[in-house]
Amino acid sequence: MPIVEINILEGYDASAKARLGKAVTDAVRSVVPAVPDAITVITREMSHDNYMRGGATRQGAPALPDPVAAVRDFLAAMEARDLEQAETFLGAGFVMHFPGTGPMNTLPQLVEWSKPRYRFVKKTYERFDQAMSDEGPVVYCYGTLHGEWPDGTPFDGIRFIDRFQFSEGLIVRQDVWNDIAEVRP
């Protein structure tokens, strides 16, 4: 029964502390064969007045955004074709890879590339999974695609998986896999 204690500076909201506790629980489970209910995470908050580094009191850095929420919001903006809003989720050097094309670096490139492939596409999500990599958080989402082909014929039930890599709280890479080529007329 692992017990993990975390010391953090005051100022993080309940949501950030809950995300931290879940991430620590998941990290322990990846090494120790324990069910989540057997893992205890204790978070202790310290006043800024009780913490010094380099002879000076310090303020805690703001919590990074929740990567899963960021992916959901990014994809919702993309479906609404609100490219301006979608771009607020992207970091410097953003790159995306879709089936049948080379790397793209801008959302208008993606929109232009997709025009001859379908009128529109939307996603039904089955699941979102978050993991940590050496580069930062990674979010996978998967489910099915539905929409219309260029001639107006509807399609649905096409499997997809998207992988999003984060750096400094922003999406820097999107990789997309789907079966659209298997069912495209």
Side-chain angles (χ1 to χ4, degrees):
M1 177 167 68
I3 299 173
V4 180
E5 293 186 36
I6 303 170
N7 293 302
I8 61 172
L9 291 175
E10 290 177 331
Y12 293 99
D13 65 20
S15 172
K17 289 185 278 189
R19 287 176 36 222
L20 179 60
K22 170 101 170 68
V24 170
T25 299
D26 290 346
V28 170
R29 289 181 62 212
S30 73
V31 177
V32 178
V35 297
D37 283 349
I39 301 167
T40 302
V41 178
I42 300 168
T43 303
R44 300 183 194 279
E45 292 183 287
M46 295 183 295
S47 165
H48 301 281
D49 296 336
N50 296 332
Y51 174 77
M52 294 183 94
R53 189 175 66 234
T57 58
R58 305 291 175 126
Q59 298 291 314
L64 293 170
D66 178 349
V68 170
V71 166
R72 285 181 179 274
D73 292 345
F74 168 75
L75 292 171
M78 288 299 295
E79 275 192 12
R81 283 298 183 249
D82 186 349
L83 300 187
E84 187 175 319
Q85 176 64 25
E87 286 175 352
T88 66
F89 296 95
L90 306 181
F94 172 72
V95 63
M96 59 190 140
H97 299 269
F98 278 70
T101 187
M104 294 181 276
N105 301 100
T106 69
L107 300 180
Q109 281 178 303
L110 172 61
V111 171
E112 196 59 36
W113 171 80
S114 67
K115 281 182 181 176
R117 288 165 175 73
Y118 40 76
R119 280 191 184 175
F120 72 89
V121 66
K122 295 189 177 194
K123 296 179 176 182
T124 300
Y125 302 106
E126 187 175 321
R127 185 175 172 136
F128 288 79
D129 293 325
Q130 181 179 330
M132 190 58 149
S133 72
D134 288 344
E135 292 80 31
V138 174
V139 174
Y140 288 90
C141 68
Y142 58 92
T144 57
L145 304 173
H146 60 280
E148 288 183 4
W149 299 117
D151 67 1
T153 305
F155 63 83
D156 67 2
I158 299 173
R159 298 180 313 160
F160 79 90
I161 295 175
D162 290 354
R163 178 189 187 271
F164 296 88
Q165 178 71 54
F166 282 76
S167 178
E168 299 178 4
L170 297 170
I171 300 167
V172 293
R173 183 179 176 114
Q174 179 184 7
D175 293 294
V176 175
W177 297 272
N178 61 53
D179 291 338
I180 210 162
E182 297 297 317
V183 296
R184 189 172 168 188

